[in-house]
Amino acid sequence: MAASVVFVCTGNICRSVTAERVLQSHLERSGAEAVVDSAGISDEEAGNPIDPTQARVLKTAGYRTEDHVARQITSEWLAERDVAIAMTRRHYRALQNLIADLPAEVRPQLRMLREFDPRVAAEKAVDAPAPDVPDPWAGQLKHFEETLEIIEVSVPGLTDYLHSVAEQTR
């Protein structure tokens, strides 16, 4: 059985959808499988496409940008995922609140994306939280490119982790 993961940021138009598209592409190239989607903790961008600058950066890097519609995460949605990946500590806390009333057997594992960034793993202290993925929204082009680079570096480790999650659920 394939693992299922949802990426979560604020509005679901930059970071989380970028992580979704990068992981989907990585899985397709490697022949691995997982259920992958994304959402925001806020409803402020619900119904909107990928941020135009983020879409340009993704397209230039060879990722799909079409047919994305921003959505807000719900506890019901989280109950259907094995793993929820937060982009920041604020998103992580919001996810903790959303799953607090779910039965333990349907609560997803909560992780921070940068836990899978090998540069962070090599530098961080034991039990220190992983750093946030910076929000590029309303920033310069380089901020969107930096966000993509952080996500691309983190995806191989995340893929390995999802494989282990899938093995545990068999």
Side-chain angles (χ1 to χ4, degrees), residues 23-83:
L23 180 58
Q24 286 171 336
S25 178
H26 183 78
L27 292 170
E28 288 169 12
R29 286 191 313 271
S30 69
E33 293 182 11
V35 173
V36 182
D37 53 13
S38 63
I41 59 170
S42 167
D43 67 354
E44 67 193 64
E45 297 288 351
N48 289 335
I50 298 172
D51 175 272
T53 305
Q54 192 69 63
R56 187 173 61 212
V57 168
L58 279 168
K59 189 170 186 138
T60 299
Y63 298 104
R64 288 186 322 104
T65 61
E66 69 281 349
D67 69 354
H68 174 73
V69 177
R71 302 177 289 174
Q72 183 179 21
I73 194 72
T74 64
S75 57
E76 295 80 16
W77 187 349
L78 288 164
E80 297 176 359
R81 295 294 173 265
D82 296 313
V83 182

Side-chain angles (χ1 to χ4, degrees), residues 41-147:
I41 59 170
S42 167
D43 67 354
E44 67 193 64
E45 297 288 351
N48 289 335
I50 298 172
D51 175 272
T53 305
Q54 192 69 63
R56 187 173 61 212
V57 168
L58 279 168
K59 189 170 186 138
T60 299
Y63 298 104
R64 288 186 322 104
T65 61
E66 69 281 349
D67 69 354
H68 174 73
V69 177
R71 302 177 289 174
Q72 183 179 21
I73 194 72
T74 64
S75 57
E76 295 80 16
W77 187 349
L78 288 164
E80 297 176 359
R81 295 294 173 265
D82 296 313
V83 182
I85 305 288
M87 296 294 146
T88 69
R89 286 183 281 279
R90 184 172 72 88
H91 302 139
Y92 190 94
R93 287 188 300 273
L95 292 171
Q96 285 178 312
N97 290 335
L98 281 170
I99 68 169
D101 293 330
L102 291 175
E105 64 273 8
V106 297
R107 285 185 195 151
Q109 296 176 36
L110 300 183
R111 303 294 295 263
M112 294 278 291
L113 181 67
R114 301 240 12 228
E115 290 177 44
F116 303 100
D117 182 335
R119 301 165 303 187
V120 170
E123 295 175 13
K124 81 176 193 132
V126 175
D127 295 329
D132 293 349
V133 175
D135 190 354
W137 187 77
Q140 299 172 2
L141 178 63
K142 70 178 183 175
H143 299 122
F144 291 89
E145 293 168 339
E146 289 166 0
T147 295

